Structure formats: structure tokens, C-alpha cells
């Protein structure tokens, strides 16, 4: 073993404080090494053992997810999940959070979030074909909200538009629970040939280690540990650790990597994400069971006099590490030079199972790799279940005087108002394969598989207010809604990725939310045959003791085998009959109606009966495939009434609703019961669908008729569509114009 | 020596970015703010000590690439 | 029938352009790398695609317009070869001096992606004659710097010469006189911010772009 210069062992106490290693963790390091680590080594332990990289609070529970299935090629553990979509092709996808950096520097934080998730996907050999994002901001009236919205949206657009990957969909919520911690979750989906998928594990010894992409600077040092810390006063001073994204370089990197991947040159490849060179080299070597030796003198550097510590912990963007097949260096050099990107051989794989770093002729790190992974802390943190809430009895509420006005209130609320101001800033069509995006009335984005009649359907979903009311049911609902959205466009749901955003796991009630959500999600994934193939955990989303609502965002991918067998909720014509599939019980607990009309966030989350969900969804999908159901919309936020309003607005055709059942009409309209769909069709076809549903034992009812220029309920309570459209479209532009207007 | 090149929009060319800045400054309570124009500053290090030659070279750079004559003017400042 | 698409680092509509050309001509275009000093001989049509060439650093299209292949493209254009620049391609062609005016930051300061209703202003041009007397088309736009600027004298001149080929019906970016697409004096070079290549397939939501490519390529097939 090479000896470590003792001069690197100075200042360890400060380093512990600086590096967020606990005293107990430091003891483990001492025991494993049989000596004190030097500063470089300690830095490596601290990032690898950070929450962000080690999942030390969450690992125990993530194992509860089902991760295998007929179509799963690679599940969690790789850079992204890989699923088979037939014809020797795979879809590769993942969702990841960039919450903390986006709060501190919204533009760059969001931009580098997009860059990072794209690298996770093309690292595995996929050409990225779609981006999605799930955003949660604080109360619209909070003084920081507008600036955060405009920065995050510009950052996502600035990066995605420039790299030329369409941003096809996503969701945006506003809730005071995110005032101090916004959520920026970005998802990327890529396409590759099944036999051309690349992984990270370095299995061969004596192979060259290549560094490609941008030069290394001092940006983002300790980004991984920042992402694992709670915010407090003064966090806004954290700017130096925020990285700057360069989408132009990313675009070149995508093209260069894909070009090199088409040659027989790469043995394994890993992007440099959180904890940069450290995590990429450690993960490649340890997952393949080899050692790795790097000479840091050869790392392309943007700044002068960088130390080994800085180079290993830098989070400069747009960099990749690859292990080449020996003798292929010239191919890589030719391609990367062509794209004007830095390329350097910086090391070699070894048989030592150690990470050895040399800098300026000295060994500055010599660590056994096994303990970094095997001895990483893994906590079984205490967790308390959330309090059980009672359901809201609608009979105890006063019915609104005018149901149309109540609907107007919901449809113009921050939750339901059009998010056009946001998605208009995203290029949704580049690559020319977008079939449905945010601009289309469809429950999921649809992106055609290039030069084919197949398509992927993509959605992101989560209803944090349900997760807060009941983590277990909320977890189930997030997965079920994603499954339902894919189903509603006619896709076969394949698998999900997730972004688990929670508060401080050291608080038992937060850990209780985390465990509850995971167990609910896992149950839904099992019943719906909808495995988890990739994901990420973001904890400590908490400011001064205020945690965000539990937000396990789900990103889901499904397959449409024949593009003409798909559904949207456009194409409605006067005279069409509206059907509702699924049972309506008027569940108002934790509903948007309660929030916006009663001003009450209380009540239980709607229960999700997964067997019913599956039965109803399978029926709807079959009707779409058979060509009968062409106009379909799932029912979720705001219940039946908001689903109907979406459909009416998308087509600017009124809808006459009729109800004479036992529920109070407002509970029938606004209850958020699950497993429901709206289908519109010509009368004869609607009758066929109704008969088929009856025969299949699927609850079905006639809701009303399309026609006129208003939404009416039992012949009254009219809500004029033009007025509704003006209010629905106008809310966000008015909010965002606040800045400019106030400035005049 | 070092050249500092200021590139700015010609008078009469609308500058929405400048207007946004101006509006924001007023919003923040800065009194007496008139028009604001946004431009860019480009610094180029030159391996020459000859000011005249440097000026000619930088002028050529501006005409060929750094400024768009349809909408932009520029000024050059040289320092040792 | 020989067509080419120029590819710069940062181009991202090169594939879209190639698909459109292939759909109309039945033959894949040559993809020409920016660093090549010469375009192949005998080209019938050259397309400069959209994207963010060189990251659009400095000014959109500025760096690309100075690349080696552009010197040869200018020569070919002057010799009469039809050239279409879309979005970033339009910016590059104005920066290269092939087309009048300049494209500035959108007046709203934000990137705008939406279907843009357009009016065809000149039905006799090499790029629009296949539309017959049809006036209204919709092409998607997706840009940050599409605000067309030229001085009044230039505007009057290009209007008078019939060089304004397309106009926005609802101005999305502050362009002077709602100009969405202009040609050179000779009429063989067209630059436009809207994307006709993203409107050639029913799955795009419209096929209004087809006739533009048919206008220029139809006679060549």
C-alpha cells in the first residue's frame, strides 16, 4: 500500500465540521482505515456518505418497491431505468430533484437539474427524446414566489430548448407548504437499441479511464452535502456551491457520446453528477469489483492551482467518465476533438479494489473501495404514522348557492388555472416527434418513436395534499393517477420512476410520512404491475423547522403500440354523450373544493381501491384500442366538474350535466373519488360503450350532453365558457405580470 | 495589452431588456431614472504593445464578428 | 435531386429538417458539417436548420455565420441555389448578410413556443407558389430571438420588392411590421422564424408546411 503523506492529515477536526461527517461516522472511517483519513479522503467519505449519495435514511425502505417485471431490463442501481418496448428498442428514463440549488439560484439550479437528468439517460446509450418536469412553488402571494417561478421556468427552458430535447409536459402546483423549499423535479426519457445499452460497472483491469466534456472548476463543491442539509437563515448566501449549466456543451456531449457509443470503444460509462469525479470513479470501480487509479494532473482544469480535494469534489457540469477498451483512445480523441470537447486519459482500472489518487507526484488518497459502499451508514430512523383523519360528511356542509360559480372558483384557482405561461416557454416540438404535449388536451404527453407508428406516453403525478392527509393512501394515489393518465391516452402502463421529496428524516413524523408513502406506492405498483425502475430521494426539504408537504412525485412511461389507437379529450362535438366510468361517492376530504370553497384543508384522502382501479382502467384502455373511446379524460383534482370543465374548455363546447342521485349535487360534482374516467362519444357509440361496461361489471353512468356555450347543471347554474376561459387562462399571466405591472 | 469593447444597441433600436431594467429600478424606488440601455462588455487580451495596431485589429474584430452593424454600435478602450 | 442540411454544433432541428426533406423528395439530404470548407457540388437546395448554433453565445447565429462552410454557402446562394433558413437558420442568414435585417430578443423577453397563425404575403415566390391562392397557414414557432428589426428605409424597400413572404397574424415577438419571413432580392434565399418542417405530418397537428417544401422542391423531383 502506498503511504499517505501525513501533512494531509492536518486539520481533521475542522474537516469533520466542514464535511458533515458525524462523529460516529468518523469512528467507522478510522476503524476501517486503521488510521486517520487525510482531507481528500475525508472529503470523499463525506460526499459518498451524504444522504444524497448514500441514501442512508431511505435505503432500508426503498427495498420495499417492486422493481422487476416482464419489460424491465435494468431497474434501480443504474443511472436510469431501462424497459423493453419491443422491436429491439428500450426506453430509458429517470426523474431527479434539483430542489435546493433551484431555491438558491432558480435559473441555474433548474437548468443544471435538466442537464443532470439528461446525462443520466444518455450515459446509458439513449438519445433523449422527451423532458418533463414537476414543479411545486409556494403561495402565489409569497414575495419570493414570482421570482422563483420565472427563474425556474426560464432555466428549464433555457437548457432544454438549447439542447434540443422537447419539454412535453409536467405539472405545477402552488402551496404555502413550499414557501421555503420549492421542488424542481425533472424527468428525461430516452430511446436506445436494446443491445446498445451501456452501464457503469468497470469490470476489466488495466483499461484506460477517460475524462470527457467540460473542464473542472471550483463550482458546486459540496453540492451533494448541501442537498442533504436543511435550510436556515442565511442559506441564500450559499451561492458559491451552485453550478452553472452550459447546454451548448451538453448538446455536443450528447452527440459525441452517442457517436462514440456507435463504435466498439466504450467498456463502461458514468456521468459526473453529484460529487463529480468522486462518485463517478468510486461507483464505476466498486460496482464492477475493480480498483481505480487516477492522476489528477491530467484532469482538464478551468482554474489554476486547484487542489486534489477541490477536483474530487467539484460539481462542474457536462462531464463524463468512461472506461475504454484498450486501443480505442484514438477513436474517442477523434470524436471529442471533432466536437471541440476536452478529452484526457486520467487513469487506469486496477486489481486492487482501491481508489488511488495521485497529484503532483504524490499519493493524495489511497482508500479501500469496499468500506465506502458496504460500510456506508444505513439508518433505521424512528417513524411515527400520521394521525388518521375523518372523512368530510357533505351533508354537514352548506351547498353553494351557485354551482357554476363554485366551479369557476376552482378552475381559476392556482391549482387548476392554466399553466400556459409556463409551458409556452418550452420548445415542445423539436425533434418533430411530439404528438401530444402540454398544449394538447391529453392526460399524458405522447412522443412518437422515431420513424414508427409506436409512441411513448409520459406523465408525472402526485397529489401532495392527499399524501399529507394520509401518506399511505396518498402514495397509492400518486401511482394510481399516473397509471390512469397513461391509460386515458390508450397506453399500456410500463413502469415508473420517482422523486421522493420530504422534510427532515430525523423527525419521526416526517420519517412516518416517508415510510407511509413508500408503502402505499409499493402496494399500488404491485397491484397495477407497474414497477419502479429508477428514482431519487430528496430529504431535508425544510426551512426553520417547517417541512414541505410529503411529495413523492411519480414519473411514468407507457407504450402506445399503434398511434391511431390513442385518445385525447379534444374532438368533442355538440350532441356527443358524456359517460362516467367508475363510482362516485362524493369524497370531499382533502379536495380542492374544500380548499377553495370552504377554505378548509381537512378531511381524509380519497381511498384508492387498486383492484377497482385496474378493472376500470383495463376496460377504458380496451375501449380506446377498439376505436370506440376516442375522447377520454381521467378524473382527479376537482372531481367530475373540473374534468368536465377541462373538456369543455379544450373544445369550447358547452356541456349539460344532469344528476338526480342521492348525493348533494356539489358532492357529486366536486368529490374526488378515484378510478374514474370521462368518455365522450356519439350517442350510438356511447351506448355501445355503456353496454360493454355493464357486461364487464364496470360502473358506468350517463353524465350529460355536449352542446351550447356554457356548462349547466340540471338545467341551471350556468357557467359561460368564454368567461371561464378568460379566468382560467388569465390567472397565471396576471400573477406573473405583477412584477412588470408593479414596476411601471 | 487589453481591449475593452463596449457593444450597445444603436439609438432608435428598441431595447426591451433595458426597458425592463428601467421599470424594475423605478419599482425598487430609485428616483430619477431615465432611459436604460443594456449592452455588453467584451474583454480581449492582445499580445501586442502597439496601441495603434491593437486598435486596428480590434476594430476589425468588431466589424467582422463582435458587433452586428444592423443594430449595434461599439466603442473600443485600450489599456496596458 | 440533391439537397443538403448544414449542421453546426448546437443545431437541433437538423433531424427535423432532414425528415421533412426526405418526406417531400423521397431522398435523405446530405448532412454537411460546419467545419467543411466546401459544400458538395450540384446541390439543388440547401437548408440551414434551427437550434442554438454555438450556444447562441455572443448573438444568435453570429458565430455560425462566420464558420467555414458559410463562406461557400454565400457563394452558392449568390449563384442562385435556393437556400432556406429556419429559426436559428434565419438568424444565421441575416448575420451572414444574405438577408436584410436582424433578429433581436423577443419583446416579451421570454422564449415563445406556440402555433403561429401566418399570412402568406407573396404567392409568387419560389417558396410559396404551391400554396395557390391560399393565404392563411399555421406553423409552430419556438424561439427567444425572433424580433425582426430593420430600419424604415429597408423595411419600405423589402415591402416594395415583395421580399416580405410571411407575416404574423398575431405578433408574438415584437417583429417590425409583423414580419415572420423575408427573402433576398433575388428571391432564392428565404429566412423565417416559424418552423414549416414541424408541420408536415398529421401527427404534428397540421401539414401546412408541406406546400412550402413542395414549392421549392416540387419542380426538382
Amino acid at each position: 500500500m502506498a503511504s499517505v503523506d501525513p501533512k494531509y492529515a492536518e486539520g481533521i477536526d475542522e474537516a469533520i465540521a466542514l464535511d458533515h461527517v458525524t462523529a460516529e461516522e468518523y469512528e467507522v472511517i478510522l476503524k476501517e482505515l486503521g488510521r486517520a483519513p487525510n482531507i481528500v479522503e475525508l472529503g470523499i467519505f463525506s460526499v459518498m456518505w451524504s444522504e444524497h449519495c448514500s441514501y442512508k435514511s431511505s435505503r432500508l425502505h426503498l427495498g420495499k418497491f417492486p422493481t422487476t417485471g416482464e419489460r424491465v431490463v435494468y431497474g434501480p442501481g443504474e443511472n436510469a431505468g431501462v424497459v423493453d418496448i419491443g422491436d429491439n428498442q428500450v426506453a430509458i428514463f429517470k426523474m431527479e430533484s434539483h430542489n435546493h440549488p433551484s431555491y438558491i439560484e432558480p435559473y441555474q439550479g433548474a437548468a443544471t437539474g435538466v442537464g443532470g437528468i439528461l446525462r443520466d439517460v444518455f450515459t446509458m446509450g439513449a438519445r433523449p427524446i422527451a423532458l418533463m418536469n414537476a414543479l411545486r412553488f409556494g403561495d402565489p402571494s409569497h414575495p419570493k414566489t414570482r421570482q422563483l417561478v420565472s427563474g425556474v421556468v426560464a432555466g428549464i427552458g433555457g437548457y432544454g430548448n438549447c439542447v434540443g430535447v422537447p419539454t412535453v409536459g409536467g405539472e405545477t402546483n402552488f402551496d404555502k407548504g413550499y414557501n421555503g423549499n420549492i421542488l424542481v423535479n425533472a424527468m428525461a426519457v430516452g430511446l436506445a437499441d436494446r443491445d446498445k445499452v451501456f452501464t457503469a460497472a468497470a469490470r476489466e483491469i488495466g483499461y484506460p479511464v477517460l475524462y470527457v466534456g467540460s473542464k473542472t472548476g471550483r463550482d458546486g463543491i459540496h453540492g451533494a452535502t448541501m442537498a442533504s442539509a436543511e435550510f436556515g437563515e442565511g442559506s441564500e448566501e450559499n451561492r458559491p456551491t451552485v453550478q452553472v449549466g452550459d447546454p451548448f456543451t451538453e448538446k455536443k456531449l450528447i452527440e459525441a457520446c452517442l457517436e462514440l457509443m456507435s463504435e466498439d470503444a466504450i467498456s463502461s460509462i458514468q456521468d459526473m453528477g453529484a460529487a463529480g469525479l468522486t462518485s463517478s470513479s468510486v461507483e464505476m470501480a466498486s460496482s464492477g469489483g475493480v480498483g481505480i487509479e487516477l492522476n489528477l494532473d491530467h484532469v482538464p482544469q478551468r482554474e489554476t492551482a486547484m487542489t486534489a480535494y477541490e477536483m474530487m469534489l467539484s460539481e462542474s457540469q457536462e462531464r463524463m467518465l468512461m472506461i475504454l477498451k484498450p486501443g480505442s483512445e484514438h477513436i474517442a480523441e477523434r470524436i471529442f476533438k471533432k466536437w471541440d470537447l476536452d478529452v484526457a486519459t486520467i487513469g487506469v482500472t486496477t486489481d486492487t479494489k482501491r481508489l488511488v489518487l495521485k497529484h503532483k507526484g504524490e499519493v493524495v488518497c489511497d482508500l479501500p473501495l469496499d468500506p465506502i459502499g458496504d460500510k456506508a451508514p444505513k439508518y433505521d430512523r424512528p417513524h411515527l404514522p400520521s394521525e388518521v383523519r375523518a372523512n368530510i360528511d357533505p351533508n354537514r356542509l352548506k351547498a353553494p348557492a351557485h354551482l357554476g360559480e363554485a366551479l369557476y372558483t376552482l378552475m381559476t384557482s392556482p391549482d387548476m388555472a392554466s399553466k400556459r405561461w409556463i409551458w409556452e416557454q418550452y420548445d415542445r416540438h423539436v425533434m418533430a416527434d411530439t404528438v401530444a404535449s402540454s398544449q394538447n388536451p391529453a392526460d399524458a404527453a405522447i412522443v412518437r418513436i422515431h420513424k414508427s407508428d409506436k409512441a411513448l406516453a409520459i406523465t408525472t403525478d402526485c397529489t401532495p395534499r392527499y399524501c399529507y392527509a394520509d401518506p399511505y393512501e396518498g402514495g397509492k394515489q400518486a401511482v394510481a393517477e399516473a397509471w390512469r393518465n397513461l391509460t386515458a391516452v390508450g397506453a399500456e402502463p410500463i413502469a415508473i420512476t420517482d422523486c421522493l421529496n420530504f422534510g427532515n428524516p430525523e423527525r419521526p413524523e416526517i420519517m412516518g410520512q416517508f415510510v407511509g408513502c413508500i408503502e402505499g406506492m409499493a402496494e399500488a405498483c404491485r397491484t397495477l404491475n407497474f414497477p419502479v425502475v429508477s428514482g431519487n430521494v430528496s430529504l431535508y426539504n425544510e426551512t426553520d423547522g417547517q417541512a414541505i408537504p410529503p411529495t413523492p412525485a411519480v414519473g411514468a412511461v407507457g407504450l402506445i403500440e399503434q398511434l391511431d389507437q390513442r385518445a385525447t379529450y379534444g374532438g368533442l362535438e355538440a350532441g356527443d354523450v358524456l359517460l362516467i366510468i367508475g363510482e362516485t361517492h362524493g369524497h370531499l376530504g382533502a379536495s380542492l373544493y374544500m380548499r377553495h370553497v370552504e377554505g378548509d384543508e381537512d378531511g381524509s384522502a380519497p381511498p384508492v381501491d387498486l383492484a377497482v382501479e385496474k378493472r376500470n382502467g383495463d376496460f377504458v384502455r380496451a375501449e380506446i384500442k377498439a376505436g370506440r373511446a376516442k375522447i377520454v379524460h381521467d378524473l382527479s383534482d376537482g372531481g367530475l366538474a373540473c374534468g368536465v370543465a377541462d373538456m369543455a374548455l379544450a373544445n369550447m363546447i358547452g356541456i349539460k350535466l344532469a344528476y338526480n342521485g342521492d348525493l348533494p349535487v356539489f358532492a357529486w360534482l366536486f368529490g374526488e373519488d378515484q378510478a374514474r374516467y370521462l368518455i365522450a362519444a356519439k350517442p350510438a357509440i356511447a351506448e355501445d360503450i355503456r353496454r360493454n361496461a355493464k357486461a364487464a361489471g364496470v360502473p358506468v353512468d350517463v353524465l350529460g350532453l355536449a352542446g351550447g356555450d356554457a356548462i349547466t347543471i340540471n338545467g341551471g347554474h350556468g357557467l359561460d365558457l368564454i368567461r371561464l376561459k378568460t379566468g382560467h387562462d388569465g390567472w397565471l399571466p396576471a400573477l406573473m405580470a405583477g412584477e412588470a405591472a408593479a414596476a411601471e | 495589452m487589453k481591449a475593452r469593447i463596449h457593444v450597445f444597441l444603436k439609438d432608435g433600436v428598441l431595447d426591451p431588456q433595458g426597458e425592463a431594467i428601467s421599470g424594475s429600478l423605478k419599482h425598487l424606488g430609485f428616483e430619477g431614472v431615465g432611459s436604460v440601455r443594456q449592452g455588453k462588455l467584451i474583454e480581449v487580451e492582445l499580445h501586442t504593445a502597439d496601441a495603434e495596431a491593437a486598435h486596428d485589429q480590434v476594430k476589425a474584430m468588431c466589424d467582422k464578428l463582435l458587433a452586428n452593424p444592423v443594430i449595434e454600435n461599439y466603442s473600443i478602450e485600450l489599456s496596458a | 435531386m440533391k439537397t443538403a442540411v448544414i449542421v453546426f454544433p448546437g443545431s437541433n432541428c437538423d433531424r427535423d429538417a432532414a425528415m421533412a426533406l426526405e418526406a417531400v423528395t423521397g431522398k435523405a439530404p446530405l448532412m454537411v458539417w460546419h467545419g467543411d470548407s466546401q459544400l458538395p457540388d450540384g446541390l439543388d437546395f440547401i437548408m440551414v436548420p434551427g437550434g442554438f448554433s454555438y450556444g447562441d453565445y455572443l448573438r444568435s447565429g453570429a458565430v455560425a455565420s462566420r464558420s467555414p462552410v458559410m463562406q461557400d454557402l454565400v457563394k452558392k446562394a449568390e449563384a442562385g441555389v435556393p437556400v432556406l433558413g429556419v429559426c436559428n437558420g434565419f438568424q444565421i442568414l441575416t448575420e451572414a448578410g444574405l438577408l436584410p435585417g436582424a433578429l433581436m430578443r423577443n419583446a416579451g423577453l421570454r422564449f415563445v413556443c406556440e402555433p403561429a397563425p401566418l399570412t402568406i404575403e407573396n404567392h409568387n415566390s419560389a417558396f410559396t407558389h404551391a400554396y395557390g391562392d391560399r393565404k392563411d397557414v399555421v406553423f409552430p414557432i419556438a424561439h427567444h430571438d425572433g424580433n425582426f428589426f430593420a430600419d424604415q428605409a429597408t423595411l419600405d424597400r423589402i415591402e416594395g420588392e415583395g421580399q416580405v413572404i410571411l407575416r404574423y397574424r398575431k405578433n408574438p415577438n415584437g417583429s417590425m411590421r409583423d414580419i415572420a419571413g423575408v427573402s433576398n432580392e433575388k428571391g432564392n434565399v428565404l429566412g423565417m422564424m416559424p418552423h414549416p418542417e414541424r408541420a408536415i405530418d398529421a401527427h404534428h397537428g397540421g401539414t401546412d408546411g408541406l406546400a412550402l417544401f413542395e414549392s421549392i422542391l416540387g419542380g426538382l423531383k
Side-chain angles (χ1 to χ4, degrees), chain A residues 404-623:
Chain A
E405 286 310 304
L407 176 55
Y408 182 85
T409 302
L410 257 67
M411 289 301 289
T412 57
S413 71
D415 287 296
M416 293 302 296
S418 167
K419 304 301 183 306
R420 171 186 275 266
W421 187 93
I422 292 173
W423 50 255
E424 221 168 44
Q425 298 184 52
Y426 305 146
D427 189 336
R428 304 178 297 281
H429 309 122
V430 61
M431 301 184 89
D433 281 319
T434 302
V435 177
S437 70
S438 318
Q439 80 183 44
N440 303 95
D443 285 319
I446 302 174
V447 179
R448 178 172 53 183
I449 307 291
H450 198 52
K451 294 189 171 176
S452 82
D453 283 326
K454 299 199 308 187
L456 296 181
I458 312 165
T459 180
T460 67
D461 292 286
C462 178
T463 313
R465 63 181 190 280
Y466 296 167
C467 296
Y468 186 71
D470 184 336
Y472 183 77
E473 288 299 325
K476 275 162 68 181
Q477 196 274 343
V479 173
E481 190 178 344
W483 189 86
R484 203 183 306 146
N485 279 326
L486 297 180
T487 295
V489 298
E492 176 209 335
I494 298 180
I496 68 168
T497 178
D498 61 47
C499 222
L500 307 173
N501 309 277
F502 290 82
N504 181 348
E506 295 160 39
R507 289 169 53 198
E509 63 275 26
I510 301 292
M511 200 60 204
Q513 294 174 343
F514 184 73
V515 174
C517 283
I518 285 189
E519 289 177 352
M521 292 169 77
E523 180 61 29
C525 289
R526 266 190 301 274
T527 309
L528 300 172
N529 188 21
F530 205 26
V532 178
V533 294
S534 58
N536 134 279
V537 179
S538 171
L539 301 174
Y540 297 96
N541 291 289
E542 194 160 321
T543 299
D544 301 330
Q546 278 296 106
I548 58 160
T551 313
V554 170
V557 171
L559 179 65
I560 298 176
E561 293 274 7
Q562 276 294 327
L563 255 175
D564 51 7
Q565 295 171 359
R566 69 179 195 273
T568 66
Y569 52 94
L572 186 73
E573 289 176 0
D576 285 357
V577 173
L578 265 76
L579 299 175
I580 182 168
I581 301 292
E583 280 184 86
T584 300
H585 301 291
H587 185 103
L588 287 176
S591 68
L592 288 186
Y593 178 84
M594 290 303 291
R595 172 181 284 184
H596 295 293
V597 177
E598 292 285 332
D600 181 352
E601 307 255 333
D602 203 8
S604 59
V608 183
D609 183 328
L610 294 163
V612 168
E613 188 75 57
K614 183 153 173 29
R615 181 196 65 197
N616 294 1
D618 288 348
F619 171 76
V620 169
R621 195 179 316 104
E623 291 297 305

Side-chain angles (χ1 to χ4, degrees), chain A residues 95-108:
Chain A
M95 178 153 59
E96 201 165 65
S97 61
H98 230 215
N99 305 334
H100 295 74
S102 301
Y103 184 80
I104 292 171
E105 172 58 59
Y107 185 97
Q108 294 298 345

Side-chain angles (χ1 to χ4, degrees), chain A residues 346-387:
Chain A
I346 63 166
V348 64
T349 55
T350 64
D351 62 359
T352 61
K353 290 195 171 196
R354 299 184 77 84
L355 172 68
V356 176
L357 302 176
K358 293 178 177 165
H359 189 219
K360 298 189 171 162
E362 292 176 38
V363 173
V364 293
C365 162
D366 186 350
L367 288 178
L369 283 163
D370 287 343
I372 300 179
D374 301 348
K375 302 288 175 188
K378 182 174 179 179
Y379 299 130
D380 184 2
R381 299 201 186 273
H383 45 95
L384 271 179
S386 302
E387 256 175 66

Side-chain angles (χ1 to χ4, degrees), chain C residues 119-135 137 139 162 164-166 181 187 190 192 211-216:
Chain C
T119 302
I120 299 170
E121 288 291 327
N122 178 342
H123 285 77
N124 302 319
S125 86
F127 295 89
T128 51
H129 63 84
Y131 284 98
D133 55 4
R134 187 172 160 206
K135 276 189 87 71
V137 292
F139 298 157
V164 174
I165 308 294
L166 291 161
L190 173 66
M192 58 196 289
L212 189 134
F213 290 99
E214 281 162 2
S215 297
I216 196 74

Side-chain angles (χ1 to χ4, degrees), chain A residues 201-489:
Chain A
R203 301 188 194 281
E204 311 291 339
I205 290 155
Y207 277 28
V209 179
L210 219 74
Y211 170 117
V212 302
S214 288
K215 290 181 167 57
T216 296
R218 290 191 173 90
D219 37 357
I221 290 174
H222 268 303
T225 45
M226 177 178 84
S228 311
E230 197 180 313
F231 276 173
E233 281 298 317
S235 290
E236 281 145 58
E237 301 307 315
N238 254 332
R239 280 174 204 268
T241 55
V242 172
Q243 317 90 302
V244 171
D246 178 359
F248 171 55
T249 297
E250 179 102 337
K251 168 70 176 166
K252 294 193 294 179
L253 200 53
I254 293 175
E255 299 303 333
C257 284
L258 292 178
E259 201 171 321
L260 183 58
M261 283 164 169
S262 69
E263 312 255 357
D264 184 29
I266 298 175
S267 171
S268 58
I269 173 166
Q270 170 81 0
D271 76 299
M272 292 192 224
L277 201 46
T278 294
S279 68
S280 55
S281 56
V282 168
E283 281 166 18
M284 290 181 93
S286 40
S287 59
V290 302
I292 195 163
E293 187 176 314
L294 304 180
N295 186 339
L296 299 180
D297 298 341
H298 298 153
V299 170
Q301 293 157 51
R302 200 178 69 222
E303 299 181 59
T304 53
M306 288 190 70
T307 65
Y309 179 90
E310 289 169 331
M311 273 187 266
M312 291 308 288
L313 268 60
S314 162
E315 292 193 1
S316 291
Q317 299 287 294
E318 292 93 22
R319 302 179 300 162
M320 314 279 274
L321 202 62
M322 43 180 88
I323 313 287
L324 285 193
K325 297 183 177 172
S328 312
E329 293 94 324
H330 66 283
I331 305 173
E333 265 175 44
R334 170 172 55 77
I335 291 171
F336 283 90
K337 289 250 155 76
K338 169 187 162 191
W339 287 96
D340 201 16
L341 291 163
D342 271 293
V343 50
T345 304
I346 63 166
V348 64
T349 55
T350 64
D351 62 359
T352 61
K353 290 195 171 196
R354 299 184 77 84
L355 172 68
V356 176
L357 302 176
K358 293 178 177 165
H359 189 219
K360 298 189 171 162
E362 292 176 38
V363 173
V364 293
C365 162
D366 186 350
L367 288 178
L369 283 163
D370 287 343
I372 300 179
D374 301 348
K375 302 288 175 188
K378 182 174 179 179
Y379 299 130
D380 184 2
R381 299 201 186 273
H383 45 95
L384 271 179
S386 302
E387 256 175 66
V388 178
R389 295 189 189 176
N391 191 18
I392 303 281
D393 177 0
N395 292 304
R396 292 184 157 193
L397 300 174
K398 196 167 159 279
H402 193 290
L403 294 164
E405 286 310 304
L407 176 55
Y408 182 85
T409 302
L410 257 67
M411 289 301 289
T412 57
S413 71
D415 287 296
M416 293 302 296
S418 167
K419 304 301 183 306
R420 171 186 275 266
W421 187 93
I422 292 173
W423 50 255
E424 221 168 44
Q425 298 184 52
Y426 305 146
D427 189 336
R428 304 178 297 281
H429 309 122
V430 61
M431 301 184 89
D433 281 319
T434 302
V435 177
S437 70
S438 318
Q439 80 183 44
N440 303 95
D443 285 319
I446 302 174
V447 179
R448 178 172 53 183
I449 307 291
H450 198 52
K451 294 189 171 176
S452 82
D453 283 326
K454 299 199 308 187
L456 296 181
I458 312 165
T459 180
T460 67
D461 292 286
C462 178
T463 313
R465 63 181 190 280
Y466 296 167
C467 296
Y468 186 71
D470 184 336
Y472 183 77
E473 288 299 325
K476 275 162 68 181
Q477 196 274 343
V479 173
E481 190 178 344
W483 189 86
R484 203 183 306 146
N485 279 326
L486 297 180
T487 295
V489 298

Side-chain angles (χ1 to χ4, degrees), chain C residues 132-170:
Chain C
D133 55 4
R134 187 172 160 206
K135 276 189 87 71
D136 294 345
V137 292
V138 177
F139 298 157
I141 54 165
H143 60 249
H144 211 161
D145 295 316
N147 183 350
F148 183 78
F149 173 88
D151 58 49
Q152 294 299 327
T154 305
L155 288 170
D156 291 342
R157 195 188 66 220
I158 61 176
E159 297 258 21
E161 296 291 325
Q163 288 173 243
V164 174
I165 308 294
L166 291 161
R167 229 188 278 275
Y168 299 108
R169 293 211 294 278
K170 182 177 152 267

